[in-house]
Amino acid sequence: LGGVVKSLPVLCPNCMLPFLQLMNLDVRDPRLGLQSLGLANLPLVFCWRCAVRQGELQYRVNASGQVELQEWRSGAMDPGFPYAGYPVAFAEFQVDLKELPARRDKKPRHQIGGQPLLLAGDPYLSCSICGKAMVFLASVADSMPSGESVAGNEWVQTVFWLCKGCAVVCVLQDLD
């Protein structure tokens, strides 16, 4: 279904570094139920280096697969945040869908679809284009398969929501 890639052609409007691509979903996979988007892939991106992480990031993926920013929080980089030596990209890896077993602990984990495990509660998010409610798409936990940390906090997750009608993705950080 994807993984983190070396670069992404869209830059964060605040820190002018490439957005981190945390997943790249193959929307042609019928298990995802995203074929109606009319795309080949749906990149899930975010920036942990600047004020983007402190609010909603909304972007649209157009028919040619390009990310078009819709809304974001403006603000400068935080030197040394989330941790010293933060990478421009993480190592690429491939994943496959499998059903998650029920868990009693509430520690964040990577997830695509299903009932989200949200630490701060379920927000109501509306699409920046049509105003309709967005649905849970995926979450990325702090630990990458390579052992690298996304945000430097095992209790944080990056959560992605989707408006299927507009192919708009909304991203928020969620932490306990």
Side-chain angles (χ1 to χ4, degrees), residues 13 25 36 57 81 90-92 102-104 146 156:
L25 302 178
S36 65
L57 166 66
F81 188 89
F90 293 101
E92 183 175 350
R103 289 180 31 182
R104 296 186 199 272
S146 62
V156 74

Side-chain angles (χ1 to χ4, degrees), residues 74-87:
S74 296
M77 280 183 77
D78 292 334
F81 188 89
Y83 52 84
Y86 197 73

Side-chain angles (χ1 to χ4, degrees), residues 56 58-62 66-71 125-134 162-170:
E56 284 184 34
Q58 287 202 23
Y59 61 90
R60 179 179 175 275
V61 179
N62 67 25
Q66 298 296 315
V67 171
E68 299 172 348
L69 298 177
Q70 302 294 312
E71 293 182 6
L125 300 169
S126 58
C127 175
S128 58
I129 294 177
C130 71
K132 292 182 180 175
M134 301 180 97
L162 177 67
C163 174
K164 288 184 179 181
C166 300
V168 170
V169 175
C170 180

Side-chain angles (χ1 to χ4, degrees), residues 2 4 12 18 23 25 72-73 97 102 109-110 115 117 126 131:
V4 181
C12 173
M23 284 189 196
L25 302 178
W72 64 91
R73 181 177 178 137
L97 287 178
R109 60 186 175 193
H110 305 303
Q115 184 65 36
L117 170 62
S126 58

Side-chain angles (χ1 to χ4, degrees), residues 2-149:
V4 181
V5 296
K6 304 285 185 234
S7 64
L8 193 67
V10 64
L11 299 179
C12 173
N14 294 330
C15 61
M16 300 310 293
L17 291 169
F19 273 106
L20 290 170
Q21 181 169 283
L22 298 172
M23 284 189 196
N24 189 18
L25 302 178
D26 180 350
V27 300
R28 298 166 297 186
D29 186 326
R31 298 174 294 175
L32 296 177
L34 300 174
Q35 300 94 328
S36 65
L37 294 177
L39 304 169
N41 294 296
L42 182 61
L44 302 185
V45 303
F46 196 58
C47 184
W48 277 98
R49 303 175 200 99
C50 66
V52 163
R53 74 177 187 285
Q54 297 170 333
E56 284 184 34
L57 166 66
Q58 287 202 23
Y59 61 90
R60 179 179 175 275
V61 179
N62 67 25
S64 59
Q66 298 296 315
V67 171
E68 299 172 348
L69 298 177
Q70 302 294 312
E71 293 182 6
W72 64 91
R73 181 177 178 137
S74 296
M77 280 183 77
D78 292 334
F81 188 89
Y83 52 84
Y86 197 73
V88 174
F90 293 101
E92 183 175 350
F93 61 94
Q94 296 294 316
V95 297
D96 195 14
L97 287 178
K98 66 179 181 178
E99 189 169 339
L100 291 173
R103 289 180 31 182
R104 296 186 199 272
D105 69 345
K106 299 295 183 191
K107 189 173 178 184
R109 60 186 175 193
H110 305 303
Q111 179 181 354
I112 300 171
Q115 184 65 36
L117 170 62
L118 301 173
L119 301 170
D122 193 357
Y124 175 85
L125 300 169
S126 58
C127 175
S128 58
I129 294 177
C130 71
K132 292 182 180 175
M134 301 180 97
V135 297
F136 172 74
L137 176 62
S139 66
V140 176
D142 185 58
S143 180
M144 289 284 119
S146 62
E148 295 173 288
S149 172

